[in-house]
Amino acid sequence: MRTFTAIVERDTDTNLYVGYVPGFPGAHSQGETLDELHANLQEVIEMLLEDEQVAFSTEFVGTQQIVVS
């Protein structure tokens, strides 16, 4: 079992939730709800992991908040 971190945003034009896994090419999806997005991302990741040639280009470290005055 592996755990992946997804970045989730809401598209204000479509009201869809959009998510992607940093450093994992092709690991992105969308959904009308957070639960739907989660299920869609899980399905995409499972399909991508079936390819034995999967190569991660970066390692997720974390997020930072930047304050600008």
Side-chain angles (χ1 to χ4, degrees), residues 5-49:
T5 300
I7 304 298
V8 177
E9 301 171 331
R10 189 174 61 82
D11 184 314
T12 56
D13 291 333
T14 63
N15 279 332
L16 293 174
Y17 292 98
V18 179
Y20 65 94
V21 178
F24 194 163
H28 53 84
S29 192
Q30 62 187 24
E32 291 184 6
T33 66
L34 288 172
D35 288 338
E36 182 181 359
L37 172 62
H38 181 92
N40 292 346
L41 281 171
Q42 188 174 25
E43 182 179 354
V44 167
I45 290 168
E46 287 171 351
M47 289 185 335
L48 290 170
L49 288 175

Side-chain angles (χ1 to χ4, degrees), residues 48-67:
L48 290 170
L49 288 175
E50 289 176 3
D51 180 5
E52 296 176 10
Q53 305 277 334
V54 154
F56 296 91
S57 58
T58 63
E59 175 185 345
F60 180 78
V61 174
T63 61
Q64 292 184 349
Q65 291 191 359
I66 310 300
V67 177

